Amino acid sequence: MVRQQRLGCESNIYHVVARGVGRQIIFEDDTDRFKFLGYLREFGESGVILHAWCLMDNHIHLLARGPIATISSSMGLLLGSYAQRFNLRHGRAGHLFQNRFDSECVESDAYFLTVVRYIHQNPLKAGLATSCAYRWSSYAEYFGHAGICDTSFALGMLGGREGFKSFHECLPDESCLDIRSGRSKTRGLSNEEALLTAQEIVGVDGLAAVAAFERSRRDGLLRRMCQAGLTIRQIERFTGIPKSTVQRVNSGSKGQSL
């Protein structure tokens, strides 16, 4: 089957996400993480510039600059090489990563900064760290630690390290740049953006429990997610609540003020 060619954007900057198949853990220990970073360093040597990265238990985030064709081929080599090594070390077979990687264009300075912060806050929001100073991300590189990222672009926009630190101490809300404020009104929320938004509304660990909430509380949360820009299909997938129920709540909320 012929794969559809990825569409590029004028900025040549992309937020890239690769997930373990079926939510498979892709890093069993620090040895795996160090090995992946070795491959990631080679990825950067292919002509792609990295601005941020983060290794989670079952997925990775990259903020990369380069032609989409180069990024695509480099990602294929990165993920394929690591998967072979992981399977050999842990005695498993089969695919490690879910299909192809996901990517979205980053076409403005505001959204670039949003993605940098989102990547570094991912472990914090997932409960894996108490601050952005997570060992397995590029955050420390912005404070002088040796690494693989070009940090000058973001630091220049934020006025240096103090501005960078302050920017990351601000959790997304209306008073600072966040995923929604950096998003074009004509572009829907990506799945990553939608999940972050839903977690802000419900709580990081609360999405699976929404279906069991008392009806008025449940419907109020569903309305807030709809108004925040999540699609009905995204809400259904995150909460397990049937599409027909979400549609009914969404239809009933039109014209109301909350």
Side-chain angles (χ1 to χ4, degrees):
M1 183 174 65
V2 178
R3 289 182 171 179
Q4 184 177 1
Q5 185 176 3
R6 293 180 185 269
L7 297 177
C9 57
E10 187 174 346
S11 68
N12 268 354
I13 303 176
Y14 303 88
H15 178 199
V16 176
V17 182
R19 300 175 176 83
V21 62
R23 299 184 180 181
Q24 157 82 36
I25 294 294
I26 58 176
F27 302 109
E28 293 286 354
D29 53 29
D30 287 353
T31 299
D32 285 341
R33 295 181 180 90
F34 279 121
K35 192 62 178 180
F36 186 89
L37 289 180
Y39 289 127
L40 189 59
R41 186 178 298 276
E42 295 176 7
F43 174 91
E45 293 171 355
S46 69
V48 176
I49 297 171
L50 288 175
H51 292 286
W53 58 268
C54 182
L55 311 185
M56 302 294 283
D57 289 341
N58 64 2
H59 67 282
I60 64 164
H61 289 272
L62 306 176
L63 182 57
R65 181 195 299 264
I68 188 60
T70 303
I71 291 176
S72 185
S73 61
S74 297
M75 283 297 296
L77 183 60
L78 168 68
L79 300 182
S81 298
Y82 177 75
Q84 289 181 355
R85 189 264 179 195
F86 182 91
N87 285 353
L88 180 63
R89 180 171 185 245
H90 297 290
R92 71 180 297 277
H95 295 291
L96 178 63
F97 292 96
Q98 178 180 303
N99 301 320
R100 301 172 73 193
F101 63 92
D102 294 325
S103 64
E104 64 168 348
C105 293
V106 177
E107 298 183 281
S108 70
D109 288 352
Y111 195 58
F112 176 89
L113 292 175
T114 292
V115 175
V116 169
R117 181 174 59 191
Y118 171 68
I119 288 174
H120 291 147
Q121 287 185 345
N122 219 240
L124 175 63
K125 293 181 180 296
L128 297 179
T130 57
S131 72
C132 291
Y134 173 67
R135 183 181 183 187
W136 302 107
S137 83
S138 53
Y139 184 81
E141 295 183 30
Y142 280 84
F143 295 90
H145 290 240
I148 54 181
C149 284
D150 177 352
T151 62
S152 61
F153 191 51
L155 289 176
M157 285 191 285
L158 292 168
R161 291 172 180 169
E162 285 303 313
F164 183 87
K165 181 179 179 182
S166 297
F167 182 71
H168 279 70
E169 289 173 347
C170 177
L171 293 175
D173 56 32
E174 294 181 353
S175 66
C176 67
L177 291 171
D178 65 9
I179 282 174
R180 290 180 297 282
S181 65
R183 175 173 53 92
S184 166
K185 294 180 179 179
T186 61
R187 180 172 69 83
L189 293 171
S190 70
N191 288 333
E192 289 289 326
E193 295 170 338
L195 180 57
L196 177 60
T197 301
Q199 289 174 337
E200 289 175 356
I201 292 171
V202 179
V204 173
D205 300 318
L207 284 173
V210 173
F213 288 168
E214 183 270 327
R215 181 171 176 175
S216 62
R217 181 185 178 193
R218 179 203 67 187
D219 288 359
L221 292 170
L222 293 179
R223 280 193 293 271
R224 288 179 60 191
M225 284 188 271
C226 288
Q227 292 171 345
L230 277 77
T231 67
I232 289 172
R233 186 176 297 275
Q234 285 170 334
I235 296 172
E236 178 188 34
R237 184 162 61 249
F238 296 155
T239 65
I241 295 173
K243 180 170 63 175
S244 58
T245 300
V246 182
Q247 288 175 324
R248 175 187 57 77
V249 172
N250 186 40
S251 297
S253 68
K254 291 178 179 178
Q256 297 181 16
S257 60
L258 294 179

